[in-house]
Amino acid sequence: MVKVAVLGASGGIGQPLSLLLKLSPYVSKLSLYDVRDPTGTAVDLSHINTVAECQSFNKDQLVDALRGARVVVIPAGVPRKPGMTRDDLFKVNASIVRGLCEQIVQTCPNATVLIISNPVNSLVPVAVETFKKFGINDTTKIMGITTLDLVRAETFLGDYMNHSRVTTVGSNQFDKRRMHKVVSVIGGHSGHTIIPVMLLKPMVYMMKPGQYDSFIHRVQFGGDEVVKAKQGQGSATYSMAYAGYRFVEYILKSIQHESLEGLGYIPAYVYLPGLKNGSIVQSKLGSKELEYFSIPINLINGRIESVDTTILDKLSKQEKLLVDKAIPELIDNAKKGQKFIRNAAKL
Amino acid sequence: MIFSTLAKRTFTSTAFNPYKVTVLGACGGIGQPLSLLMKLNDKVTDLRLYDIKNAKGVATDISHIPTNSKVTGFSAEESDGLNNALKDTDLVLIPAGVPRKPGMTRDDLFNINAGIVYDLATAAAKNSPNAAILVISNPVNSTVPIVAEVFKKNGVYNSKKLFGVTTLDSIRSSRFISEIVNTNPTKEKINVIGGHSGITIIPLLSQTKYGSTLTKEQKDSLIHRIQFGGDEVVKAKNGGGSATLSMAQAGAKFANAVLSGFAGEKNVIQPSYVDSPLYKNEGIEFFASPVTLGPDGIQEIHPIGEINAEENELLKECKETLKKNIDKGIKFADSRK
């Protein structure tokens, strides 16, 4: 049984994510922390008759929120608003993530730390550099959650398959719940850095001409699709809560030593030099400068034992092109996060 | 060619019991997480989300989740938005309306929410007269009778398909008793009857093994906590609303039970506030007790079972208040043309 802390529990993602965690049989204590007092949310959730005990912690109680936490999930931060550049967003959220990590390092340094806050490509480096600054070189438990891209790939692939030339027989629909067997995503967590990878290559040929490109574009810009539909009222919250929960459950199952078979190739955005076979990823991609990448992971007890590099051996020509295009942007995004911590340290 | 046949066989499926579900008030504090949970329910193949506005945004967000239901947003701003959200649906969840603020009773919400429920019920009666209607909007004790009157006016009333959702009171009961006796809350079950507000909520502790082991103080305090659990959340949210996440869970749990009944599963028994024969002879038309859910909705309404003297007193007070709540709803419906 495990204590999970949600940092940013009062927010648009934090609340439904906390609901799904409260419903989980793997959670024994649920710690809800936010600068906006989450007492209301905690009392609300505490009435649900599942095992997890809910406690709320306000802005002065971060240490208490983190004490004893085995998993820390961070959706905290602001979403992009009209007129805000990615850079404006980065500055605000990088400060938030740095502050939270500085406390995690002191209170629960052995916890698995999962970053949802955007821009993930730059904020995971902020977390890793903060840990290093405090003398912690084991970064196998720091991961950026990219599961929403996987979720979108599964859903959109199912949609396209149902409309493809290989039409539905009778009322048989492609079962979206099984799409995790045929697709994964690698790269990063924004726009062109998101690269869907078909695990069964022939699936590409099952799509109508042009649909493959539409599919790729839709997965890469799925976030924009929701922002547009919400007309200024926010970004993806419920699908992100589902995706976030799905990844946390993956971690919780590994902590419980439950079999992870059949769950698919679930990726996470990780620091390659900190991993046993991270350098193999760098050499397969042909870039020593690339230090952060989202790739399927092999978990043991809530930490990354190794990454699955075989997915890189089977990339199609189109997929290789997408990866090559993404690498410079990924390197840039990561450097931005690293500089944020390293330059501050110099002062 | 061979590959495509293999793919079809491995990756396709037929939903044996495809159900259409409509959420009226899908963008609200309860509606949004409720819609998420219904999207995660594999019995649902067509999810319709309706609200005054913003429904397309919530629908697009939720539609990205990889389960086999189509999700569509409908808003009041489109012509026929409400009608289309309801057309041919199998189950309607109604969380629409305003929540309580500290100091308010559920009855204080009546004036606003009665009108909202009346209008939504009218659309349901016209577009989906055979659907199960699950009322969450408070005060449930009064809004359920309003829906009944509307359906009667339209000549399509079927009492087997009308439900007031009281599941949260049962969920709270299990949780609160487990905290006192230090047990696993998933394994606790208390029969809760009556209505869905304050003193109309009666947990029958005498029917549990704790009936004789708890002190009188513990019992009174537990009963009070269950009856006013909603107030506990309203107070904690400090003007920010009432129970949303726990209510979403309760609504989704009950909706799933109704769908299981439709699908022919056996022994699906849940408490619900329904058009009930139990105290009709005393002029009380609606009452919550355990009901068996089946292919046509309510299959059987169970009596409350044996109760002790204290519970009998609570039941008396409950009935007095319920009668007033029910009459208020019926009067409101009759006053609308």
Side-chain angles (χ1 to χ4, degrees), chain A residues 15-16 19-20 22-23 39-41 43-53 148 151-152 154-156 166-167 169 171-179 181-182 200 202-203 206 218 222-223 225-226 229-231 233 235-242 246, chain B residues 3-4 7-15 28-29 32-33 36-37 39-40 42 54 56-58 60-69 168 170-172 174-176 179 184-186 188 225 229-230 232-233 236-237 242-249 253:
Chain A
Q15 287 196 47
L19 168 62
L20 295 177
K22 175 70 174 109
L23 296 176
T39 300
T41 300
V43 173
D44 187 351
L45 287 177
S46 75
H47 286 186
I48 296 176
N49 65 326
T50 53
V51 172
E53 276 173 40
L148 184 50
V151 160
R152 286 181 179 139
E154 291 168 13
T155 299
F156 300 159
V166 184
T167 328
V169 175
S171 60
N172 272 13
Q173 296 284 298
F174 270 85
D175 189 344
K176 288 183 188 156
R177 297 165 305 166
R178 291 191 236 176
M179 288 294 111
K181 292 190 195 291
V182 303
L200 291 181
M203 294 290 263
M206 285 172 75
R218 210 179 160 204
E225 194 178 301
V226 180
K230 287 197 174 184
Q231 295 180 303
Q233 297 297 310
S235 54
T237 47
Y238 290 91
S239 48
M240 183 63 238
Y242 162 78
R246 188 163 145 187
Chain B
F3 176 79
S4 62
K8 264 186 294 200
R9 249 194 303 193
T10 318
F11 301 114
T12 60
S13 69
T14 314
Q32 289 194 55
L36 168 66
L37 295 177
K39 179 65 174 125
L40 295 175
D42 289 327
N54 300 330
K56 285 195 171 13
V58 175
T60 302
D61 186 350
I62 289 177
S63 76
H64 286 183
I65 294 171
T67 54
N68 297 320
S69 47
L168 186 50
S170 299
I171 284 175
R172 285 180 175 141
S174 299
R175 180 73 209 186
F176 298 165
E179 285 172 14
N184 185 332
T186 62
E188 295 293 348
R225 197 179 175 207
E232 198 175 301
V233 183
K237 289 199 176 185
S242 57
T244 48
L245 302 172
S246 51
M247 184 64 235
Q249 162 63 4
K253 181 174 172 186

Side-chain angles (χ1 to χ4, degrees), chain A residues 119-321:
Chain A
V120 168
N121 293 358
S122 305
L123 294 185
V124 172
V126 167
V128 168
E129 290 296 314
T130 303
F131 268 60
K132 281 198 207 167
K133 195 169 116 184
F134 277 73
I136 300 197
N137 290 315
D138 178 2
T139 52
T140 57
K141 294 211 212 77
I142 303 174
M143 302 166 223
I145 296 185
T146 57
T147 321
L148 184 50
D149 305 318
L150 177 62
V151 160
R152 286 181 179 139
E154 291 168 13
T155 299
F156 300 159
L157 186 59
D159 281 343
Y160 282 113
M161 287 292 124
N162 284 329
H163 290 115
S164 77
R165 254 184 312 200
V166 184
T167 328
T168 53
V169 175
S171 60
N172 272 13
Q173 296 284 298
F174 270 85
D175 189 344
K176 288 183 188 156
R177 297 165 305 166
R178 291 191 236 176
M179 288 294 111
H180 64 271
K181 292 190 195 291
V182 303
V183 69
S184 186
V185 275
I186 60 175
H189 187 57
S190 71
H192 293 296
T193 67
I194 300 170
I195 301 141
V197 175
M198 299 300 197
L199 302 173
L200 291 181
K201 294 302 178 208
M203 294 290 263
V204 179
Y205 309 113
M206 285 172 75
M207 289 174 142
K208 282 199 180 106
Q211 267 192 336
Y212 176 75
D213 292 329
S214 301
F215 163 69
I216 297 293
H217 183 89
R218 210 179 160 204
V219 176
Q220 293 183 334
F221 295 97
D224 293 45
E225 194 178 301
V226 180
V227 169
K228 188 167 168 223
K230 287 197 174 184
Q231 295 180 303
Q233 297 297 310
S235 54
T237 47
Y238 290 91
S239 48
M240 183 63 238
Y242 162 78
Y245 174 71
R246 188 163 145 187
F247 190 77
V248 178
E249 192 186 63
Y250 193 54
I251 297 283
L252 293 173
K253 283 185 168 164
S254 86
I255 291 172
Q256 296 286 102
H257 306 296
E258 258 187 48
S259 167
L260 301 177
E261 245 187 81
L263 295 179
Y265 281 69
I266 300 192
Y269 183 76
V270 296
Y271 178 55
L272 299 172
L275 298 173
K276 194 164 85 179
N277 60 349
S279 56
I280 298 181
V281 175
Q282 290 172 309
S283 73
K284 283 188 181 176
L285 293 176
S287 170
K288 277 240 145 48
E289 239 192 311
L290 178 71
E291 296 193 317
Y292 289 84
F293 198 73
S294 176
I295 191 162
I297 55 177
N298 296 316
L299 288 172
I300 285 189
N301 200 17
R303 48 172 275 277
I304 301 171
E305 194 274 324
S306 61
V307 295
D308 188 330
T309 66
T310 60
I311 199 173
L312 300 174
D313 300 329
K314 305 168 189 165
L315 295 178
S316 71
K317 210 167 75 175
Q318 295 106 316
E319 287 162 356
K320 281 207 184 82
L321 280 171

Side-chain angles (χ1 to χ4, degrees), chain A residues 29 51 53, chain B residues 173-188 209-210 213-214 218 222:
Chain A
K29 275 192 157 67
V51 172
E53 276 173 40
Chain B
S173 300
S174 299
R175 180 73 209 186
F176 298 165
I177 185 89
S178 79
E179 285 172 14
I180 297 176
V181 297
N182 224 344
T183 55
N184 185 332
T186 62
K187 301 209 175 1
E188 295 293 348
K209 61 186 174 203
Y210 307 112
T213 57
L214 296 176
Q218 282 177 313
L222 175 59

Side-chain angles (χ1 to χ4, degrees), chain B residues 260-272:
Chain B
S260 298
F262 280 173
E265 284 174 42
K266 300 272 174 264
N267 295 321
V268 182
I269 302 177
Q270 286 288 316
S272 179

Side-chain angles (χ1 to χ4, degrees), chain B residues 89-112:
Chain B
T89 199
D90 297 304
L91 188 149
V92 183
L93 281 152
I94 311 184
V98 297
R100 285 193 280 163
K101 288 196 156 41
M104 280 173 96
T105 64
R106 285 184 178 89
D107 204 47
D108 292 333
L109 300 175
F110 182 84
N111 292 325
I112 307 173

